[in-house]
Amino acid sequence: MKLSVVAFPSKKLQDLANTYRKRYDSHYAKITPYITLKEAFEADESQLADISNKIKSIAEKYGPLKIHASKISSFFPTTNVIYFKIELTEQLQNIHNDLYHEIDIGKPKHVFIPHITIGRDLTETEHDDIYPQLRMIGINEKEEIDRIHLIYQLEDGSWTTYETYKLTGAL
Amino acid sequence: MKLSVVAFPSKKLQDLANTYRKRYDSHYAKITPYITLKEAFEADESQLADISNKIKSIAEKYGPLKIHASKISSFFPTTNVIYFKIELTEQLQNIHNDLYHEIDIGKPKHVFIPHITIGRDLTETEHDDIYPQLRMIGINEKEEIDRIHLIYQLEDGSWTTYETYKLTGAL
């Protein structure tokens, strides 16, 4: 099965992201707005308990994630993904590293750029039309996220939460 | 915010339900297939921690939910909802009662009929067309669900998991 580790921002920030995703994100109906901490990876159902325990240990090391959605940006020309940029902090980088190090399945495909996707699978014309507008509107939201989620994907591409882990540590 | 307590069945059963929901359930994109244990109720964000603690206590009383999806049924003529019927057990009735008793918000609107919705918002003609076919196909799946979820609704109607609770008790 396909798994991933994510942080869901506050309802307020999810609602805001969805006002854009509804129109611009092809995955809008598959999952509510999220920040990926470990990209989707394949694992056998028999490994779930072990993976879950490892995430639990990591979550016990870190305190609530301090996030700052600072601007609207794009991965163009790599992909036509438009996103809320989350400022990279030492805390986010460390928890990301720990997740890859401890759950030794799947290597990072990209440098870690924490973000909330708001547009995806746009044509180049759509992207070039929408992106400058969104960039101008921008975003500036700070908040704390006190838990992370292990999620799994169904055959239709949608995601269900397997477990939540409270961030109860000091880091 | 709007909250609810649900159990997500196995990936296998969710995938099966989605093959129908994709076509017949208007809420298909809002949430993955689920069994409602406490219907949606309004609560203030400040009550979340308290509600969560109460669910945690209940989850510690009960063991994994033994469920049997035994047939495809319909709430017609009350509503045009088609569903996998989950056989009512003492365990399911008790956990449902506890959730209503402990979280003293919102009374049950209906008798508790555990189910997984696979069709909704159908016209009467659609319902009468589809239901006999589905009833004939039927379902017969038994499984154990070892956790329950507190979920909250976003403004667009979709649901995010707030927390998962493992069923670690003996009942």
Side-chain angles (χ1 to χ4, degrees):
Chain A
M1 65 200 315
K2 206 173 240 180
L3 304 175
S4 181
V5 183
V6 302
F8 291 110
S10 68
K11 175 174 181 299
K12 182 187 166 199
L13 197 45
Q14 287 187 67
D15 283 335
L16 178 61
N18 271 340
T19 61
Y20 300 113
R21 294 180 75 225
K22 192 181 310 190
R23 275 181 286 177
Y24 306 129
D25 185 354
S26 62
H27 292 199
Y28 168 59
K30 302 300 183 196
I31 184 169
T32 53
Y34 60 94
I35 301 164
T36 301
L37 297 174
K38 179 167 167 66
E39 277 175 77
F41 60 99
E42 277 292 338
D44 194 79
E45 212 165 325
S46 62
Q47 297 172 276
L48 255 180
D50 180 46
I51 290 168
S52 185
N53 283 335
K54 284 173 172 167
I55 301 172
K56 191 164 187 284
S57 301
I58 294 170
E60 283 166 359
K61 272 175 64 179
Y62 293 92
L65 300 175
K66 289 183 179 59
I67 68 154
H68 177 199
S70 57
K71 63 176 181 177
I72 292 181
S73 196
S74 163
F75 288 128
F76 182 85
T78 311
T79 65
N80 286 349
V81 165
I82 300 174
Y83 57 91
F84 291 164
K85 179 179 177 161
I86 307 296
E87 290 296 325
L88 182 60
T89 60
E90 215 177 310
Q91 185 192 35
L92 283 168
Q93 185 68 60
N94 289 343
I95 197 166
H96 172 265
N97 292 351
D98 278 4
L99 286 166
Y100 275 93
H101 184 76
E102 294 291 326
I103 308 167
D104 196 17
I105 306 170
K107 293 291 149 224
K109 288 183 206 116
H110 320 282
V111 174
F112 179 48
I113 301 174
H115 65 279
I116 299 169
T117 296
I118 58 170
R120 163 161 38 193
D121 291 336
L122 302 165
T123 65
E124 199 167 322
T125 315
E126 285 170 330
H127 177 275
D128 293 352
D129 191 38
I130 296 160
Y131 177 47
Q133 296 174 37
L134 295 185
R135 197 175 41 183
M136 217 155 61
I137 299 169
I139 181 159
N140 186 22
E141 293 285 341
K142 290 183 183 180
E143 62 183 40
E144 287 196 0
I145 304 178
D146 68 355
R147 62 196 65 214
I148 60 177
H149 299 245
L150 174 62
I151 61 177
Y152 60 95
Q153 192 171 35
L154 301 182
E155 293 308 313
D156 70 348
S158 61
W159 295 85
T160 303
T161 291
Y162 179 75
E163 191 158 346
T164 49
Y165 311 89
K166 284 197 207 154
L167 300 161
T168 53
L171 295 182
Chain B
M1 65 200 314
K2 204 173 241 180
L3 303 176
S4 182
V5 183
V6 301
F8 292 110
S10 68
K11 175 174 180 300
K12 182 187 166 198
L13 197 46
Q14 288 185 68
D15 283 336
L16 178 61
N18 271 339
T19 62
Y20 300 113
R21 296 179 74 224
K22 193 182 307 190
R23 276 181 285 178
Y24 306 129
D25 184 354
S26 62
H27 292 200
Y28 168 58
K30 301 302 184 197
I31 184 169
T32 54
Y34 60 94
I35 301 164
T36 301
L37 297 174
K38 180 169 167 64
E39 277 175 77
F41 59 100
E42 277 293 337
D44 194 80
E45 212 166 324
S46 62
Q47 298 173 276
L48 255 181
D50 181 45
I51 290 168
S52 185
N53 283 335
K54 284 173 172 166
I55 301 172
K56 190 164 188 285
S57 302
I58 294 170
E60 283 165 359
K61 272 175 63 178
Y62 293 93
L65 301 175
K66 290 184 177 60
I67 69 154
H68 178 200
S70 58
K71 62 176 182 176
I72 292 181
S73 197
S74 163
F75 288 128
F76 182 84
T78 312
T79 65
N80 287 349
V81 165
I82 300 173
Y83 58 91
F84 291 164
K85 179 179 176 160
I86 307 296
E87 289 297 325
L88 183 60
T89 60
E90 216 177 309
Q91 185 193 35
L92 283 168
Q93 185 69 61
N94 289 342
I95 196 166
H96 172 265
N97 292 352
D98 279 4
L99 286 167
Y100 276 93
H101 184 76
E102 293 292 324
I103 307 167
D104 195 17
I105 306 170
K107 293 290 150 227
K109 288 181 207 118
H110 321 283
V111 174
F112 179 47
I113 300 173
H115 65 279
I116 299 169
T117 296
I118 58 170
R120 162 161 40 193
D121 291 337
L122 302 165
T123 66
E124 199 168 322
T125 315
E126 284 170 331
H127 177 274
D128 294 351
D129 192 37
I130 295 161
Y131 177 48
Q133 295 175 37
L134 296 186
R135 197 176 39 183
M136 217 157 59
I137 300 171
I139 181 159
N140 186 22
E141 294 284 340
K142 289 183 184 181
E143 61 182 42
E144 288 195 0
I145 304 179
D146 68 355
R147 62 197 64 215
I148 59 177
H149 299 244
L150 173 62
I151 60 177
Y152 60 95
Q153 192 170 36
L154 301 183
E155 294 307 313
D156 69 348
S158 61
W159 294 85
T160 303
T161 291
Y162 179 74
E163 191 156 347
T164 49
Y165 311 88
K166 284 197 206 153
L167 299 161
T168 54
L171 295 180

